[in-house]
Amino acid sequence: MPTDRFSLMVHGGAGALDNVKDDRTAVRYLESLRIVLEHGRAILSRGASAIEAVETCASLLEDDPLFNAGCGSVLNELGRVEMDAGIMDGRDLAAGAVAGISNIANPVQLARLVMDGSEHVMLIGEGAMRFAEHCKVPFAPDHYFLTPERIAQLDQARLKHRIMLDHDEADELAESQKYGTIGAVARDVTGNLAAATSTGGVVNKRLGRVGDTPIIGAGVYADNETCAVSATGFGEDFMRTVIAKTIADVLDFKGGDAHSAADEGMSYLKRKVAGRGGVIVIDRDGRCAAGFTTKRMIHGWIAHGGETVCRF
Ligand code: GLY
């Protein structure tokens, strides 16, 4: 197996995804992932680093209103967008994250700025917004995020008095829903790993709720010695199991590859907390694996520079 070629994986959420079971919607999701993967292929094959690739791919997914991140973010209990994002470089375990931010088109880029341009790993809310201003990140207006679909989705959740994933079980709430976190993991041609994850969180969440996405080791993790992981699903389950780091630890302490580590991680998630969601994993040799406890996960990959595969 060639290990000197790049590998790339992306995901667009996990869940029942009954809203994408019809062919037309499924094609839109899969086409979007394919475009992102081909963009990633182009830059990685020209020598881009893994961290550049995951930032670029995650940004493109944030720019697509199909997905629950960036402009497609779901709404909280007050009808506002509060986004979280995290990014990690497997070369030196450098990491950056933002939580509870609004009016930023690409939270993953702000997370990268926190990583590269501050002495901290995570900034939240007002502090993160002040940092964005300091870095001259442009602010996007409210209407960039508040789509009629997201407002209708929040209304449905409020009627049910519940929070929900963008893709909960197959009930009437799920039928019209787009779903979940987005994420990217990569191994570049020099063998470096990186991971990025970004989300609007869960529909009708409490003001101030933060999920797994920006928590290093829960929703995102990368270490050149083991693997890069991006998670999607019900954040509370992923935080309680520190799932991304748990998967890296499986490789570190037990050995194996991306497939066995993803499987073991999902068994652990299920056994310990009946967790709902999934992960994408690239190991240090560039093997690509996906694991999920939900019915489906929208994801795609390019293993060792080979063909582009998209699934849900
Ligand atoms: N996994 C995304 C969230 O729970 O916020």
Side-chain angles (χ1 to χ4, degrees):
M1 186 183 315
T3 56
D4 58 342
R5 304 216 184 110
F6 71 85
S7 291
L8 177 65
M9 289 193 92
V10 294
H11 70 74
L17 287 169
D18 291 320
N19 56 323
V20 296
K21 68 187 171 202
D22 74 276
D23 288 349
R24 204 168 47 88
T25 320
V27 166
R28 283 169 67 211
Y29 277 95
L30 296 180
E31 267 313 298
S32 184
L33 288 196
R34 187 171 290 277
I35 288 165
V36 172
L37 284 166
E38 291 308 334
H39 196 90
R41 178 196 293 280
I43 62 172
L44 280 163
S45 55
R46 284 200 301 267
S49 64
I51 195 79
E52 282 162 12
V54 297
E55 182 186 355
T56 301
C57 291
S59 296
L60 289 171
L61 291 164
E62 288 174 337
D63 292 342
D64 187 337
L66 270 181
F67 301 104
N68 174 16
C71 68
S73 291
V74 299
L75 305 180
N76 70 10
E77 62 178 352
L78 300 182
R80 295 189 204 145
V81 164
E82 285 188 304
M83 299 169 289
D84 306 329
I87 191 164
M88 187 160 186
D89 191 333
R91 285 179 288 204
D92 55 0
L93 306 191
V98 289
I101 61 164
S102 312
N103 301 98
I104 299 288
N106 293 110
V108 73
Q109 293 175 16
L110 188 56
R112 174 91 191 262
L113 287 168
V114 172
M115 179 176 98
D116 291 343
S118 84
E119 60 277 32
H120 304 300
V121 167
M122 182 186 282
L123 293 175
I124 65 163
E126 192 190 338
M129 300 300 287
R130 277 171 64 118
F131 181 70
E133 219 174 323
H134 167 77
C135 296
K136 304 201 173 359
V137 173
F139 290 131
D142 287 346
H143 65 75
Y144 176 72
F145 301 92
L146 293 175
T147 63
E149 290 84 7
R150 289 308 188 201
I151 292 167
Q153 186 184 44
L154 175 63
D155 288 344
Q156 285 186 322
R158 279 175 172 158
L159 279 174
K160 289 252 174 182
H161 301 291
R162 56 185 276 203
I163 62 158
M164 59 194 222
L165 290 172
D166 195 11
H167 28 273
D168 260 334
E169 290 308 310
D171 60 16
E172 69 273 25
L173 282 174
E175 290 304 317
S176 62
Q177 285 156 18
K178 309 167 200 158
Y179 211 37
T181 316
I182 62 91
V185 292
R187 178 190 185 277
D188 63 31
V189 290
T190 61
N192 292 312
L193 296 173
T197 313
S198 181
T199 191
V202 290
V203 186
N204 203 21
K205 64 186 181 181
R206 282 183 190 278
L207 180 70
R209 179 265 189 188
V210 176
D212 61 309
T213 296
I215 307 297
I216 305 305
V220 61
Y221 195 73
D223 179 354
N224 275 5
E225 291 183 1
T226 53
C227 61
V229 182
S230 173
T232 175
F234 202 73
E236 281 72 4
D237 300 338
F238 287 72
M239 291 156 92
R240 290 160 67 210
T241 50
V242 202
I243 200 69
K245 178 67 161 75
T246 296
I247 288 170
D249 283 349
V250 168
L251 282 173
D252 203 11
F253 300 129
K254 282 182 77 171
D257 61 20
H259 297 278
S260 56
D263 284 351
E264 206 152 322
M266 290 303 94
S267 302
Y268 181 75
L269 181 74
K270 236 167 144 170
R271 181 166 54 82
K272 296 300 276 190
V273 299
R276 290 173 291 159
V279 289
I280 51 173
V281 184
I282 295 182
D283 66 28
R284 64 182 181 179
D285 293 322
R287 284 173 289 235
C288 297
F292 41 101
T293 63
T294 43
K295 245 199 257 179
R296 301 183 180 95
M297 180 168 76
I298 307 165
H299 63 291
W301 67 90
I302 298 170
H304 306 293
E307 63 172 327
T308 302
V309 184
C310 295
R311 298 249 167 90
F312 77 88

